[in-house]
Amino acid sequence: MKKIGVVTSGGDAPGMNAAIRAVVRLAYARGLQVIGFRHGWGGLISNDFLSLTPRSVSGIVQAGGTMLHTCRCPEIMMEEGLRKAAGHIAENKLDGLVVIGGDGSFRAASALSRYTGARMIGVPATIDNDVFGTDETIGFDTAVNTAVSDIDKIRDTATSLDRIFIVEVMGRKRGFIACMVGLSSGAEIILVPEVPFDHEALYRSIRENVAAGKKSGIIVAAEGIGDTGRLARDIEANTGVETRLSIIGYAQRGGNPSARSRYLAALFGEKAVELLARDDSNAVVGLRDGHIIRISLEEACRADKPLDLEALRLAGQLAR
Ligand code: F6P
């Protein structure tokens, strides 16, 4: 193993830069050359890359986003895109490729592995925390903290005006962010795509809260539950409590990574380079029960990582 490539792909996540830095520096320490492809899989398809050295990754550990840029790139799942990407891996004489991203990025890496002999190693980085096999992904902790600190402020106005606020957090398909944010911010209700909810039961629980003296409240809803604007109007119409919607949105994807996201990036980066040095392939690094582990690429592509329903239950109990 002499030379590897690095690519960041899909939605950016705070801590991706810290992961690039860790991979580059630890690879160099083992005598490997590193190049980084710009704009995700698009850079591999068009052969747009830069050489990465320990010095070129200085001063990025605290920066959000990704110095390599990223993109959503459907071409990488098509025959022509895969052939071009594999061709550029061969042209650059890459022995391995580190893919920093989410499950979509790993599905692309898996497809690409059928066209190239280069070893594929994934590093889970997505705010959604929806990569199967790992308890946590790089960026999740930062996104949760961003949303919680916003909700702390929103609660001030909710209390002052006796209002309900639906706070919509990211999570198009999954409720990991909503669940952790709701629990940590003391939300009265948490709505996630994984658990269908009954509108009448929701109105009833709000009326009960009001009767018990809770005149304001926070409902944390994952974006994947549907039309939160309409839900706000329906709650107001059915409970008589003034209800507003606040969408936190893309702010959750940006900003300086938390210490935990950087820490995870360092540990994941170290494991990724170690796996490459051992000639391992088609693997993703992860965290399970406090240990850094190897997950098969195939497993990490699964879309059914279970949500912690116990955390939802606890949040419900604490909100009474
Ligand atoms: O990064 C994951 C995610 O934040 C999802 O929660 C969200 O639905 C999606 O990305 C939206 O991103 P984009 O607009 O870049 O497709």
Side-chain angles (χ1 to χ4, degrees):
M1 169 101 23
K2 292 195 181 76
K3 192 172 174 190
I4 61 167
V6 180
V7 65
T8 50
S9 153
D12 57 313
M16 277 184 163
N17 277 323
I20 296 169
R21 172 179 174 268
V23 168
V24 170
R25 291 194 171 165
L26 296 167
Y28 258 73
R30 289 179 184 261
L32 302 177
Q33 263 185 284
V34 188
I35 62 172
F37 291 95
R38 294 190 186 89
H39 299 286
W41 294 116
L44 191 57
I45 291 172
S46 62
N47 207 21
D48 179 8
F49 67 87
L50 71 161
S51 162
L52 293 173
T53 66
R55 292 289 63 79
S56 66
V57 293
S58 288
I60 62 166
V61 73
Q62 80 289 1
T66 157
M67 68 169 282
L68 290 176
H69 299 247
T70 180
C71 76
R72 308 265 185 209
C73 180
E75 291 81 12
I76 193 64
M77 294 309 275
M78 293 167 192
E79 177 81 23
E80 202 191 332
L82 287 164
R83 284 199 189 287
K84 280 187 185 163
H88 293 139
I89 287 176
E91 196 179 311
N92 290 301
K93 299 191 171 47
L94 297 182
D95 304 297
L97 187 69
V98 176
V99 179
I100 304 172
D103 60 335
S105 310
F106 299 153
R107 272 190 279 281
S110 173
L112 185 56
S113 71
R114 292 194 286 274
Y115 290 75
T116 171
R119 302 177 197 295
M120 298 286 156
I121 302 291
V123 172
T126 159
I127 64 163
D128 289 339
N129 197 28
D130 56 354
V131 175
F132 194 95
T134 181
D135 293 343
E136 194 175 333
T137 55
I138 296 167
F140 173 65
D141 179 71
T142 310
V144 166
N145 279 302
T146 299
V148 167
S149 99
D150 279 2
I151 292 175
D152 290 347
K153 297 176 188 111
I154 291 169
R155 200 179 269 286
D156 291 343
T157 185
T159 312
S160 303
L161 285 154
D162 294 336
R163 279 180 181 167
I164 287 174
F165 272 85
I166 297 181
V167 182
E168 184 188 293
V169 296
M170 274 195 160
R172 194 160 33 197
K173 297 187 201 121
R174 306 303 312 272
F176 292 97
I177 295 178
C179 185
M180 183 64 88
V181 167
L183 179 62
S184 318
S185 62
E188 276 65 28
I189 293 165
I190 302 172
L191 301 176
V192 294
E194 292 88 342
V195 184
F197 68 97
D198 172 39
H199 283 73
E200 285 308 322
L202 179 68
Y203 307 147
R204 207 177 318 118
S205 113
I206 292 170
R207 285 190 217 105
E208 281 166 13
N209 281 349
V210 173
K214 270 196 178 220
K215 295 208 170 72
S216 65
I218 299 287
I219 299 174
V220 171
E223 60 178 322
I225 66 145
D227 186 344
T228 44
R230 178 165 180 194
L231 181 62
R233 289 190 294 279
D234 288 349
I235 290 175
E236 184 164 314
N238 284 279
T239 65
V241 184
E242 226 184 343
T243 304
R244 294 285 189 272
L245 168 66
S246 188
I247 299 177
I248 300 184
Y250 289 89
Q252 288 155 104
R253 268 210 331 225
N256 302 123
S258 65
R260 180 156 181 90
S261 291
R262 299 180 202 190
Y263 175 64
L264 218 50
L267 298 184
F268 282 1
E270 180 183 40
K271 183 75 174 179
V273 172
E274 185 197 310
L275 291 180
L276 278 172
R278 271 204 256 133
D279 285 343
D280 203 334
S281 186
N282 284 13
V284 171
V285 303
L287 174 79
R288 201 175 298 158
D289 299 329
H291 300 284
I292 301 298
I293 53 149
R294 175 199 191 276
I295 309 161
S296 75
L297 185 56
E298 197 189 340
E299 192 184 7
C301 290
R302 284 177 56 175
D304 56 346
K305 177 175 172 179
L307 186 70
D308 183 2
L309 297 176
E310 274 303 296
L312 274 184
R313 183 201 51 76
L314 177 61
Q317 270 191 325
L318 292 174
R320 287 203 193 110

